[in-house]
Amino acid sequence: MLMPHPAVLRRLVDEYEALTRSGSTEEQAQAQAQARDLAYTLCVSTGTRDVRHALETARQWLEAASASDAAIRPPTDRDPHVYA
């Protein structure tokens, strides 16, 4: 299965969570429609059928991606573990 780029996945999760937190009644219908679209995209992106599972899977993938990035990133002068 193809995996979405972590930046794209992060944006989808953040947008979905922001829309589901908003409580504005005036824009609620539009926010619900956008949340449904994002839920569908998250499900397709993660190979799941339920948005709760999609969010869980996305968070796991994002955590794994950030851990692997940290493991392969070369040290820089700014890293606290690099001694001069």
Side-chain angles (χ1 to χ4, degrees):
M1 179 167 123
L2 294 176
M3 292 180 65
H5 190 277
V8 173
L9 198 54
R10 168 57 52 210
R11 183 185 55 80
L12 291 170
V13 170
D14 289 346
E15 285 183 26
Y16 179 80
E17 289 175 342
L19 284 171
T20 56
R21 277 192 305 256
S22 78
S24 172
T25 56
E26 187 174 302
E27 299 172 351
Q28 197 166 11
Q30 182 180 3
Q32 287 176 348
Q34 288 175 330
R36 279 192 306 272
D37 290 345
L38 286 166
Y40 173 80
T41 304
L42 280 164
C43 287
V44 169
S45 298
T46 58
T48 60
R49 293 179 179 228
D50 179 89
V51 71
R52 291 172 298 188
H53 294 132
L55 288 168
E56 183 179 320
T57 300
R59 289 184 186 113
Q60 290 172 354
W61 288 358
L62 289 168
E63 186 177 313
S66 69
S68 69
D69 284 348
I72 61 173
R73 183 177 51 89
T76 66
D77 292 342
R78 294 184 199 160
D79 285 340
H81 297 35
V82 175
Y83 301 103

